[in-house]
Amino acid sequence: MAVCIAVIAKENYPLFIRSVPTQNELKFHYTVHTSLDVVEEKISAVGKSLGDQRELYLGLLYPTEDYKVYGYVTNSKVKFVIVVDSSNTSLRDNEIRSMFRKLHNSFTDVMCNPFYNPGDPIQSKAFNGIVSGMMVQTG
Amino acid sequence: MESQEEKPIIYTMENKPIVTCAGDQNLFTSLYTSLAQQLPREPMEWRRTYGRAPKMIHLEANFVQFKEELLPKESNKALLTFPFLHIYWTDCCDTEMYKSSVKEDMMRWQNTLRTHGSADWVIIVVETSDTKKKNKPNILPRSSIVDKIRSDFCNKQNDRCVVLSDPLKDSSRSLESWNSLLLKLRTLLLMSFTKNLGRFEDDMRTLREKRTQPGWSFCEYFMVQEELAFVFEMLQQFEDALVQYDELDALFTQYVLNFGAGDTANWLGSFCAPVRNWSGLLLRRPIDMEKRDSIQRGEASLLDLRSYLFSRQCTLLIFLQRPWEVTQRALELLHNCVQELCLLEVSVVDGALDCWVFLSCLEVLHRIEGCCDQAQIAANCSHTVGLWAYATDKLKSLGVLCGLVTKKEPTSEDLNKTVDLLAGLGDERPETVNSLQSPYKKLKEALSSVEAFERHYLELSHAAMEMYQAIGRMRSARLVGKSLAEFYMRKGDPERAETFLQEALKSYVSEGWSLPVTHTRRQIAECQKLLGRTEDYLQTCALLAGDVNLTTEERKHFCQEILSFAGKSGDQSHKVSLSMNVFTQLTRLQFHPATLLVHTGGVLQVELTLKSLMPISVHIQQLAASIHFDVDHGGTLGRSKGVKRQTNQGTVEFNLGNPSAGPTSFTGNSRVLEMDEIQDRSPSDNSLNATGLVCKNAHLLIRRHGNSSPSEMAKCVSPPAVAMKEGDQMLKVQDVTLEPGENSIIFTAPSGQPGSYTLRQLCATVGGIQFVQSHVYPSVRYEVYSQEPQLTVEPLSEPLLAGLPQVVKFTLLTGHYTVKKGDALQLSNTDTMPILPSTSCTARISSPAAELVGESVLSIQSSEKVTSISLPPTPPYHTLDFQLEVLCIIPSGLEQPANERLTNGEIRHRPRSYSHPDTPMTAIDQRMSIDCPWSIYSTLLTLTFYIPFKTKHSLLSAGNRKYIQVCVQNMSDMNFTLAEVKLTEKQHASLELQSFNTKTHQLLCSKHSVFCLWEVMWKDDLPSCLQCVFSATFSPTNQDTSAFKPFHYQFQLERVTTLYSVRAAISPPASEQHCRCGLLCGLEVSITRLTEPSEGEITEDSKTDTDGLKTTKLMYEVADSNSNWAVCGKSSGMVLMPMKANATHRVQIEVMPLFAGHLPFPKIRVLKYLPHSAAAAMQPDPDSCIENDSLSLLDKTLDDQADTASIRSRGSVHSVGSSDQQQKGVAMPRLEPFSPGQVFNHSRTQQVLVLPATDDHIMEVNAT
């Protein structure tokens, strides 16, 4: 499914970023970082029109030749970014949505952990497990 | 009409639905213009099948002459050439003519139509009034012809025959008939559309359902569905047309995907052919017939199909005024095509796809530019920028492929590749041959030479970057910038590259993306190395060497870069200064001792914990810390103002962010509140005015939390060049090896002068490189103080009790003074507080850290005036303490001789006793004067002792016999044993005091009292004044008798002798045996003089009467305070008492009992009456003086009984004067009470029985 999953803090630094090990990790970092441009654009566009009744799922942020980058933003402005291989065409929008929802739920669990200091990189095993479940190990 | 002879060329914009015209051609030609104009004027509602929404549609038509060839054959599915309506025109109004020729012609027409299965026809009969009038005025009415036609041809469909009246005239009738004709035509046309398109769609669907069958071909199907799209386009239904293409697109995509999933369709084979042509999209033609033909032939490649499909979609979208959707779809298409080619495993020449994408991007952009104005394009950068960036990207990879991104010229191999690529472009399309800026020309030019490539590439890159910046996508812009930087690096222009890299790095650092930071930084390092910017390069190397994102090998490499530079730069005068943070971090500072406060010359060690970030151990020639010194004015007594700043004393933790810009540098650690206690003391007396807490780093904390703090950013991106400040004190350690990780380095801090020392900078020197930390934050300060020696004496236990040996503690803080051998404390001795000699007096010496350093026995020599305590040698800033036993002698109560002088000439202050508010005990302050070796002045100290006892005495009488009672009250919290209780009289030896105290030892518990009683026995005469001394010994209860200490109490008793005795008797009324309530009784008071008057008494207050008899004036007074008695008549009076023994005076007074029962006698007081003359002569003696208020009280009673005979007999006008006069006390008679022993009342506590009244109906019970 996904080749890279990232959680980005409100201040735009990565809380969690993991990519398929077989591929160039750096490239994903650049891709996810650049996608923040579109995330911000979308957030501000939505903020103008709809106020608080906004959809968390931002949809396809931008396609590249090799990847499709999807975005999701929580109410606290924490961003989730999922990068999917372009060749993986079987993935539907709904599946991406449900991936984000799962990710959000797991993230909420992480935040609920009293030993987790908000703003720190996420090191939760459970969260990692969820992410692993969403990523293709074969690449 | 014009093109009716030829086969219509398919140019959809000019295409209109074909309507054939048969019959009278001339008639039609005359009406054609208005018909063609009028038909599209009104919209018609088109109701659709399959639940599609109805549409309003303006109908146009292409009227052609009817020919049989126009009618479609059974197999022909072409819709564009399909005639939707057939019209037969006639203006025949002659029955004959109709029958002869027109009908026949119509029949033929109808038959032709029928054979081709076309039912969409209409017959129009044009009727002009002219023709009617002119030709046959008497023929059948025209209706009959119409009726005939209707009956002949339209047997069931009457509406298939329409009449048009006077079409060329401008009359209402003409207009009406035109309108109905047009309506009819439109309706019929739509009906035909619905019917024919419906049929077509059904066929098409059937065809599509067959797609699983082996012979099915996508290309065939494509042509069919496109036919439908064409028709919709013809009808201006672009939306519907687009749907057809989108469906085709989706269908094709699905096939490709299925292919990827292993489900291969045969027809896909043609699309899998190797790509031979990559000329890009062609969007300038509405329909690219070339490609369409190749599709029709089944020879199209995947790119051909996609290109054609997209060009059609693009055309329709532009018709629909949705150019931005074009750009979006274009990007999707390009990405998709690349993927599909990959999926289908189509073999493509290297770079061919890049060419195709590049050309396509530019083509789309050109197309959009062609249909939008400049402002629109600028406003919609966000839609086009993706294409720009993609094109840039592709051009770059092409450049790399063709060896154009080098400093040199491309090789022949590169040139071969270029030629191959250019060959695949084919010839330029005729549309753009004349245009100077066509994508084709651009690509060709870009690939032609290195310079041209650079020009084109830079142009595109900058365009993309500017667009990104314009729409606020800064990150994307920087990524393009980075890619540009890579280009510059390849071109050997590191200077330009660095600008872009730094910009990108800034953004990554500020947002805390460590991996991009590392990567970019490594590129920067390369630039800086090439540029020869040594300092920057070394700084970057240091950052990279400590970067955990790199492998150990890489980190070692960068570390080695630094070390080798450090090793080879021999010039020691110029050192390269680098920021220390990236090299090693100060994590902890620990002070020993932890108080951060030492005396001058004291030893203070600073332990630095440095965390080395280097991957290998680094040898440092010198590690120096500069210390700033502040003279601390007026703070020599450091200890008293020691403001404790850190809670964890002596250890300062530094939480520095990771300089390699991990997220930690961002999340705001070191954002801990730094609280300090402040105390505002008044400068004059050091009293506390205010105290509070202050947050020292509030300016950092309260600052708005933006995305990044500039200072932090600056620190991390390029650490500022820091210079080591000279001039401050330096701590230095030579030759340290820093291992990776934590290292501990110990300095000895200077403490030469008193003041505060602040740690400012750290500097590590490695060869020619200095790593400098420009400031240590939070600031670390320690204080050095200088202290005067201080001697304090305090009780070991509170309170100090007088009369008992008490231990006091001497504490000497040596301060800067060194106690030498032979130094001694000289204590001036006082009588009231002797120092008790003790054999074992040990002095303890402790260090500033309160550790016991030594113990030694003190030698104490006492001379008459001075006690000398020789001190053991003690180093400075140590504490010397020892204990001494002292005894404060309890003053016995009487005055002592006048002031003495102490040995040092000071006036000895008598210890004065006073009452202390905290304790009921009486306190005595004992002053001590101590001469210390370090000062020429004596130290004066005060100790406060408390007297544990309170003693009272009283004189008791029984007739002539006298008793003395002494009450000792223990005020302290201790229990004492009292022994050897003794009372002595000092002056009269004949007196004997007989003790009634049987016990020798008496327990005196805390807060309890002991009473002692003696009877005074005398032989000849009782002296009027007794000087008594009460003495006892006491000790705390649980100690042995040897510890008994004496206690003395002196007192004086005066006027001891009993002068008068008073007797009272109450006699019932004569008739009664007992006193009865409510009846007057007699009270007889007899006052008897017991002794001869003494000498003093005679002179003092006796008076010789006229008859020569000496008398004393007494005043008696009967008062009942308890209201038991009512005194009737006078209650007081004057008595003249003869001055001889046993003289008795009786007074009768009437009293009435108010209650029944045993009533105590009313109180009888006897007072001395001093006449005014005597009073004036009298000395005002405070002891014997009657207070004013009691006098006035008595006088008041006198006033009440103004008829007192004796007063009247005195004849004194003043005696009954106003109280004002009495208040002045001048020449007034006075009353003086007797001393307690002088009057003895025999009947003081006597009672008398009082019976209730006889006739008491009311029983009164008085329970007392």
Side-chain angles (χ1 to χ4, degrees):
Chain A
M1 288 188 272
V3 289
C4 175
I5 289 177
V7 180
I8 296 136
K10 179 171 174 282
E11 295 86 357
N12 287 340
Y13 64 87
L15 290 174
F16 179 93
I17 180 157
R18 221 181 108 196
S19 48
V20 175
T22 48
Q23 296 185 36
N24 184 3
E25 193 185 0
L26 180 69
K27 186 171 70 182
F28 287 118
H29 279 248
Y30 280 125
T31 305
V32 172
H33 182 249
T34 313
S35 76
L36 292 176
D37 271 338
V38 189
V39 171
E40 282 181 352
E41 216 169 85
K42 292 210 175 195
I43 291 172
S44 63
V46 168
K48 270 177 227 155
S49 56
L50 269 159
D52 46 359
Q53 280 293 316
R54 66 190 177 83
E55 159 109 87
L56 301 177
Y57 178 58
L58 298 175
L60 181 67
L61 296 179
Y62 72 95
T64 67
E65 206 173 285
D66 310 313
Y67 304 108
K68 288 192 177 101
V69 185
Y70 294 90
Y72 183 94
V73 63
T74 70
N75 288 315
S76 52
K77 299 272 190 294
V78 171
K79 294 122 191 157
F80 299 142
V81 173
I82 293 179
V83 183
V84 177
D85 210 309
S86 282
S87 59
N88 191 346
T89 36
S90 59
L91 218 53
R92 311 239 168 251
D93 205 46
N94 261 342
E95 291 170 71
I96 300 280
R97 269 175 204 268
S98 79
M99 273 162 81
F100 275 124
R101 256 196 302 279
K102 250 162 82 182
L103 205 59
H104 195 173
N105 286 339
S106 187
F107 176 73
T108 311
D109 290 345
V110 171
M111 295 301 283
C112 289
N113 177 1
F115 298 102
Y116 173 73
N117 190 10
D120 284 357
I122 295 171
Q123 279 158 342
S124 156
K125 259 189 193 171
F127 189 78
N128 219 347
I130 292 281
V131 169
S132 300
M134 292 180 189
M135 303 218 301
V136 218
Q137 296 304 326
T138 52
Chain B
M1 285 283 287
E2 293 83 13
S3 59
Q4 60 185 284
E5 299 302 324
E6 312 146 30
K7 195 179 177 192
I9 296 169
I10 300 173
Y11 258 89
T12 49
M13 272 312 285
E14 286 87 52
N15 269 357
K16 286 168 190 166
I18 292 170
V19 175
T20 62
C21 298
D24 190 343
Q25 288 299 317
N26 291 330
L27 175 67
F28 169 67
T29 316
S30 67
L31 294 173
Y32 168 73
T33 325
S34 48
L35 188 64
Q37 276 174 358
Q38 301 252 30
L39 190 61
R41 197 165 283 170
E42 300 265 326
M44 243 344 242
E45 195 189 60
W46 187 18
R47 294 171 200 279
R48 318 276 302 275
T49 51
Y50 298 110
R52 282 173 282 192
K55 286 210 169 144
M56 295 309 281
I57 180 168
H58 291 267
L59 286 165
E60 284 182 276
N62 189 7
F63 295 95
V64 298
Q65 196 176 0
F66 177 78
K67 282 177 185 168
E68 205 176 335
E69 304 95 86
L70 282 175
L71 292 173
K73 313 232 161 15
E74 202 52 46
S75 57
N76 194 350
K77 299 267 187 225
L79 261 184
L80 275 185
T81 52
F82 185 83
F84 285 96
L85 192 62
H86 307 277
I87 305 174
Y88 193 90
W89 295 88
T90 179
D91 60 349
C92 171
C93 49
D94 190 343
T95 327
E96 297 301 313
M97 201 176 144
Y98 169 72
K99 278 186 179 160
S100 61
S101 60
V102 177
K103 186 179 177 184
E104 213 168 304
D105 193 34
M106 274 187 187
M107 286 290 266
R108 235 180 298 126
W109 176 68
Q110 279 269 307
N111 283 333
T112 321
L113 290 180
R114 206 171 293 132
T115 51
H116 285 94
S118 176
D120 306 300
W121 52 266
V122 67
I123 300 166
I124 300 173
V125 181
V126 179
E127 197 174 63
T128 47
S129 41
D130 296 349
T131 49
K132 211 185 331 178
K133 277 176 199 155
K134 231 194 287 172
N135 297 330
K136 318 266 176 195
N138 55 348
I139 54 161
L140 284 166
R142 67 169 159 80
S143 57
S144 63
I145 293 213
V146 176
D147 289 341
K148 259 189 171 8
I149 293 171
R150 281 188 180 149
S151 67
D152 287 344
F153 299 102
C154 324
N155 41 1
K156 276 163 205 160
Q157 302 152 297
N158 278 339
D159 57 342
R160 294 280 172 172
C161 182
V162 188
V163 179
L164 179 65
S165 312
D166 294 336
L168 297 174
K169 278 200 179 151
D170 194 13
S171 68
S172 64
R173 204 189 128 159
S174 153
L175 199 66
E176 205 179 298
S177 77
W178 261 119
N179 281 345
S180 68
L181 171 71
L182 289 169
L183 187 68
K184 179 62 65 184
L185 281 181
R186 287 176 196 136
T187 316
L188 288 173
L189 260 175
L190 283 179
M191 272 169 62
S192 169
F193 288 153
T194 313
K195 195 171 73 194
N196 289 305
L197 291 183
R199 196 188 299 141
F200 187 84
E201 280 180 54
D202 288 344
D203 290 348
M204 188 180 83
R205 244 172 247 118
T206 316
L207 184 59
R208 190 162 65 197
E209 292 314 312
K210 286 181 189 157
R211 67 183 181 273
T212 47
Q213 291 174 7
W216 193 81
S217 159
F218 176 76
C219 294
E220 277 171 36
Y221 177 73
F222 183 94
M223 288 301 146
V224 173
Q225 186 154 12
E226 191 184 25
E227 199 71 28
L228 189 61
F230 283 150
V231 173
F232 281 123
E233 190 181 349
M234 178 176 77
L235 295 175
Q236 315 257 309
Q237 299 307 303
F238 302 119
E239 200 75 60
D240 290 293
L242 188 60
V243 168
Q244 306 312 316
Y245 283 110
D246 288 350
E247 278 180 16
L248 283 170
D249 195 343
L251 186 65
F252 186 72
T253 305
Q254 196 53 52
Y255 268 105
V256 177
L257 294 182
N258 290 350
F259 180 87
D263 179 11
T264 322
N266 287 332
W267 56 268
L268 261 173
S270 69
F271 295 102
C272 295
V275 177
R276 292 204 182 77
N277 182 312
W278 40 88
S279 52
L281 292 176
L282 180 64
L283 303 176
R284 276 157 224 250
R285 300 178 195 163
I287 296 173
D288 186 348
M289 288 312 289
E290 234 174 273
K291 291 221 171 69
R292 188 170 189 270
D293 287 345
S294 69
I295 295 168
Q296 206 160 17
R297 287 198 303 271
E299 292 165 358
S301 70
L302 182 114
L303 287 185
D304 288 338
L305 177 73
R306 284 290 181 195
S307 300
Y308 177 73
L309 204 48
F310 183 73
S311 75
R312 292 296 302 140
Q313 287 167 326
C314 170
T315 308
L316 290 170
L317 283 169
I318 286 172
F319 283 146
L320 286 166
Q321 305 283 316
R322 278 145 58 179
W324 313 123
E325 204 176 323
V326 175
T327 58
Q328 190 200 327
R329 280 170 174 243
L331 205 54
E332 270 174 47
L333 165 86
L334 299 178
H335 292 149
N336 192 31
C337 282
V338 174
Q339 286 296 327
E340 281 182 347
L341 285 175
C342 182
L343 202 66
L344 292 177
E345 293 158 352
V346 175
S347 72
V348 187
V349 176
D350 257 358
L353 267 185
D354 295 336
C355 287
W356 185 76
V357 169
F358 175 78
L359 289 172
S360 301
C361 282
L362 291 192
E363 177 70 17
V364 173
L365 290 170
H366 275 261
R367 183 74 185 91
I368 296 303
E369 272 165 28
C371 73
C372 298
D373 58 30
Q374 211 57 39
Q376 254 181 310
I377 289 170
N380 287 285
C381 274
S382 57
H383 296 103
T384 53
V385 70
L387 287 170
W388 283 106
Y390 199 23
T392 313
D393 218 30
K394 287 298 164 189
L395 185 58
K396 189 184 171 196
S397 55
L398 272 177
V400 173
L401 186 77
C402 299
L404 295 164
V405 192
T406 54
K407 286 177 264 188
K408 310 180 291 278
E409 288 296 309
T411 61
S412 62
E413 197 184 326
D414 293 334
L415 289 173
N416 279 341
K417 269 188 203 163
T418 313
V419 169
D420 286 350
L421 283 178
L422 289 177
L425 295 181
D427 292 327
E428 180 154 23
R429 272 75 165 259
E431 286 88 346
T432 57
V433 164
N434 298 320
S435 143
L436 290 170
Q437 283 284 306
S438 72
Y440 179 85
K441 285 204 183 75
K442 266 190 191 172
L443 182 61
K444 253 192 155 159
E445 197 185 328
L447 295 182
S448 67
S449 75
V450 173
E451 292 73 29
F453 175 80
E454 180 174 354
R455 200 176 67 243
H456 282 286
Y457 176 64
L458 291 185
E459 188 190 325
L460 273 177
S461 290
H462 284 118
M465 249 161 82
E466 273 162 32
M467 277 183 210
Y468 273 134
Q469 276 163 357
I471 57 171
R473 294 194 186 177
M474 301 316 283
R475 297 178 188 86
S476 311
R478 291 198 185 102
L479 200 64
V480 176
K482 265 207 71 193
S483 155
L484 199 52
E486 278 157 24
F487 170 75
Y488 278 126
M489 284 301 288
R490 276 169 168 272
K491 295 286 285 181
D493 189 356
E495 198 166 354
R496 285 196 207 182
E498 205 205 351
T499 351
F500 290 109
L501 290 175
Q502 289 286 10
E503 182 133 339
L505 178 65
K506 205 154 70 184
S507 127
Y508 299 137
V509 167
S510 75
E511 294 191 328
W513 287 72
S514 66
L515 224 53
V517 163
T518 308
H519 178 239
T520 311
R521 203 168 262 159
R522 210 161 54 174
Q523 290 175 320
I524 288 177
E526 206 179 315
C527 284
Q528 288 168 336
K529 190 174 186 182
L530 286 172
L531 287 170
R533 298 227 301 264
T534 319
E535 254 178 72
D536 292 339
Y537 175 62
L538 290 174
Q539 188 70 69
T540 312
C541 279
L543 282 166
L544 287 169
D547 197 327
V548 289
N549 284 327
L550 294 177
T551 61
T552 318
E553 298 312 309
E554 286 169 305
R555 290 175 61 190
K556 275 182 185 164
H557 161 74
F558 287 111
C559 188
Q560 212 56 55
E561 286 281 306
I562 302 171
L563 293 180
S564 60
F565 176 83
K568 74 176 176 220
S569 69
D571 184 13
Q572 292 294 311
S573 62
H574 173 72
K575 287 195 174 178
V576 177
S577 285
L578 300 177
S579 167
M580 181 180 258
N581 272 344
V582 300
F583 169 68
T584 177
Q585 288 177 343
L586 178 62
T587 54
R588 197 186 318 131
L589 250 177
Q590 218 165 352
F591 283 93
H592 307 285
T595 49
L596 291 178
L597 188 70
V598 285
H599 52 76
T600 48
V603 177
L604 181 72
Q605 281 191 327
V606 190
E607 184 184 341
L608 299 181
T609 307
L610 290 175
K611 186 180 168 197
S612 172
L613 301 171
M614 295 297 110
I616 51 176
S617 57
V618 178
H619 179 79
I620 292 176
Q621 272 86 33
Q622 177 181 283
L623 184 68
S626 80
I627 283 178
H628 179 78
F629 170 65
D630 265 324
V631 180
D632 208 358
H633 293 292
T636 43
L637 280 169
R639 191 158 293 192
S640 63
K641 61 173 280 278
V643 183
K644 307 299 178 229
R645 284 177 298 125
Q646 275 84 14
T647 44
N648 50 343
Q649 282 273 297
T651 306
V652 186
E653 299 280 349
F654 297 90
N655 298 313
L656 286 169
N658 182 7
S660 61
T664 42
S665 72
F666 195 78
T667 49
N669 50 30
S670 78
R671 289 276 186 278
V672 185
L673 282 180
E674 273 183 52
M675 302 301 284
D676 252 11
E677 189 189 359
I678 51 158
Q679 292 189 342
D680 179 15
R681 286 182 183 280
S682 143
S684 53
D685 56 348
N686 207 32
S687 65
L688 191 64
N689 283 340
T691 184
L693 282 174
V694 64
C695 177
K696 290 206 301 187
N697 58 349
H699 60 290
L700 292 173
L701 291 160
I702 295 173
R703 187 177 55 191
R704 199 176 136 266
H705 283 276
N707 268 3
S708 57
S709 55
S711 65
E712 226 167 352
M713 209 156 86
K715 185 181 78 191
C716 293
V717 173
S718 55
V722 279
M724 196 67 188
K725 279 187 208 147
E726 295 296 331
D728 289 331
Q729 302 199 45
M730 301 287 270
L731 297 180
K732 285 180 185 170
V733 168
Q734 309 288 335
D735 292 320
V736 185
T737 302
L738 287 183
E739 297 293 334
E742 304 243 310
N743 293 272
S744 172
I745 294 147
I746 295 176
F747 290 105
T748 303
S751 56
Q753 277 180 285
S756 66
Y757 293 75
T758 312
L759 195 58
R760 280 282 166 87
Q761 295 185 327
L762 281 179
C763 174
T765 310
V766 183
I769 302 177
Q770 276 189 326
F771 290 97
V772 180
Q773 181 161 1
S774 58
H775 62 286
V776 175
Y777 184 85
S779 67
V780 178
R781 195 168 64 196
Y782 67 91
E783 274 164 43
V784 174
Y785 66 93
S786 157
Q787 194 186 17
E788 294 298 320
Q790 242 184 329
L791 178 68
T792 50
V793 179
E794 55 199 5
L796 194 65
S797 62
E798 292 279 4
L800 287 172
L801 292 178
L804 288 170
Q806 298 287 298
V807 180
V808 290
K809 186 178 165 192
F810 283 68
T811 310
L812 172 63
L813 304 172
T814 53
H816 58 71
Y817 182 79
T818 313
V819 180
K820 296 172 284 292
K821 196 170 169 65
D823 279 345
L825 295 178
Q826 310 280 344
L827 275 72
S828 302
N829 291 346
T830 57
D831 300 337
T832 48
M833 195 187 72
I835 289 160
L836 303 178
S838 75
T839 48
S840 61
C841 180
T842 345
R844 292 152 45 90
I845 300 166
S846 33
S847 70
E851 291 157 3
L852 189 64
V853 172
E855 275 187 331
S856 69
V857 177
L858 282 181
S859 72
I860 300 172
Q861 274 116 33
S862 279
S863 69
E864 196 179 330
K865 293 226 172 225
V866 174
T867 305
S868 170
I869 305 162
S870 33
L871 301 170
T874 313
Y877 297 104
H878 276 58
T879 310
L880 180 72
D881 62 82
F882 56 90
Q883 292 168 5
L884 280 185
E885 247 189 340
V886 296
L887 178 67
C888 178
I889 290 162
I890 302 174
S892 53
L894 287 180
E895 287 301 305
Q896 293 280 323
N899 292 337
E900 295 168 31
R901 283 195 173 258
L902 296 173
T903 46
N904 55 9
E906 261 194 57
I907 293 168
R908 176 184 294 252
H909 296 280
R910 269 292 121 205
R912 287 264 294 278
S913 57
Y914 59 91
S915 60
H916 201 274
D918 294 343
T919 155
M921 292 186 280
T922 311
I924 312 165
D925 278 347
Q926 281 287 354
R927 296 245 189 146
M928 293 172 79
S929 171
I930 306 168
D931 287 332
C932 309
W934 55 81
S935 169
I936 55 163
Y937 302 107
S938 305
T939 307
L940 287 176
L941 294 167
T942 306
L943 288 174
T944 303
F945 289 86
Y946 296 92
I947 301 170
F949 303 118
K950 200 170 177 179
T951 322
K952 282 182 292 190
H953 65 272
S954 55
L955 179 71
L956 306 171
S957 310
N960 275 338
R961 301 173 78 173
K962 294 291 168 184
Y963 303 89
I964 295 170
Q965 189 193 46
V966 175
C967 167
V968 181
Q969 194 183 354
N970 181 2
M971 307 299 287
S972 74
D973 294 327
M974 292 174 78
N975 297 335
F976 293 106
T977 311
L978 216 57
E980 297 173 46
V981 179
K982 207 164 72 182
L983 189 70
T984 50
E985 215 288 332
K986 291 200 276 191
Q987 289 171 335
H988 306 279
S990 61
L991 270 181
E992 192 191 328
L993 291 166
Q994 189 183 337
S995 173
F996 287 96
N997 308 307
T998 48
K999 282 186 184 165
T1000 55
H1001 285 71
Q1002 190 85 38
L1003 187 66
L1004 181 49
C1005 292
S1006 169
K1007 309 283 187 260
H1008 282 66
S1009 304
V1010 161
F1011 292 87
C1012 307
L1013 191 65
W1014 287 269
E1015 188 176 358
V1016 185
M1017 313 286 278
W1018 64 92
K1019 285 182 185 139
D1020 307 324
D1021 215 2
L1022 181 66
S1024 65
C1025 182
L1026 296 177
Q1027 296 279 345
C1028 301
V1029 177
F1030 170 81
S1031 64
T1033 58
F1034 71 97
S1035 82
T1037 29
N1038 41 17
Q1039 287 182 19
D1040 55 348
T1041 46
S1042 66
F1044 275 87
K1045 297 289 167 195
F1047 172 66
H1048 297 284
Y1049 175 62
Q1050 292 191 7
F1051 57 94
Q1052 189 174 335
L1053 291 169
E1054 281 175 25
R1055 280 173 277 194
V1056 178
T1057 329
T1058 310
L1059 294 178
Y1060 302 99
S1061 78
V1062 178
R1063 262 173 220 280
I1066 291 177
S1067 53
S1071 56
E1072 298 284 338
Q1073 213 170 358
H1074 289 285
C1075 295
R1076 201 169 275 279
C1077 188
L1079 290 181
L1080 281 175
C1081 307
L1083 170 68
E1084 190 188 65
V1085 179
S1086 60
I1087 303 169
T1088 312
R1089 170 127 202 152
L1090 294 178
T1091 54
E1092 291 293 329
S1094 61
E1095 285 301 306
E1097 199 185 353
I1098 292 164
T1099 52
E1100 196 181 278
D1101 51 16
S1102 65
K1103 190 168 173 155
T1104 312
D1105 218 357
T1106 44
D1107 49 2
L1109 200 68
K1110 280 183 182 163
T1111 57
T1112 309
K1113 277 185 187 161
L1114 293 178
M1115 175 146 173
Y1116 70 87
E1117 189 189 12
V1118 178
D1120 180 41
S1121 55
N1122 293 335
S1123 309
N1124 289 334
W1125 301 91
V1127 180
C1128 303
K1130 57 177 187 179
S1131 63
S1132 62
M1134 200 76 74
V1135 170
L1136 280 173
M1137 212 57 199
M1139 293 280 263
K1140 61 171 192 176
N1142 298 322
T1144 303
H1145 200 285
R1146 286 195 172 76
V1147 181
Q1148 293 285 345
I1149 297 161
E1150 289 203 311
V1151 293
M1152 185 169 71
L1154 298 173
F1155 297 100
H1158 287 283
L1159 294 184
F1161 276 34
K1163 218 166 243 167
I1164 299 152
R1165 289 176 70 197
V1166 177
L1167 301 148
K1168 252 186 264 187
Y1169 185 86
L1170 303 175
H1172 57 85
S1173 53
M1178 240 182 72
Q1179 292 283 327
D1181 184 3
D1183 289 340
S1184 58
C1185 190
I1186 296 172
E1187 288 172 7
N1188 266 341
D1189 54 344
S1190 67
L1191 178 72
S1192 67
L1193 177 77
L1194 288 170
D1195 281 352
K1196 202 175 173 193
T1197 55
L1198 288 177
D1199 286 342
D1200 292 341
Q1201 301 160 3
D1203 55 341
T1204 308
S1206 35
I1207 289 175
R1208 193 167 289 159
S1209 67
R1210 285 294 308 127
S1212 163
V1213 285
H1214 300 292
S1215 65
V1216 289
S1218 69
S1219 59
D1220 283 347
Q1221 283 169 311
Q1222 289 164 2
Q1223 289 286 333
K1224 284 164 189 166
V1226 182
M1228 295 294 288
R1230 287 198 307 141
L1231 288 171
E1232 192 185 316
F1234 286 100
S1235 294
Q1238 284 181 305
V1239 176
F1240 180 73
N1241 195 344
H1242 284 277
S1243 51
R1244 189 151 131 199
T1245 53
Q1246 261 187 325
Q1247 289 182 339
V1248 65
L1249 178 67
V1250 178
L1251 296 177
T1254 43
D1255 56 344
D1256 51 347
H1257 303 293
I1258 302 151
M1259 180 76 158
E1260 235 182 297
V1261 178
N1262 188 12
T1264 52

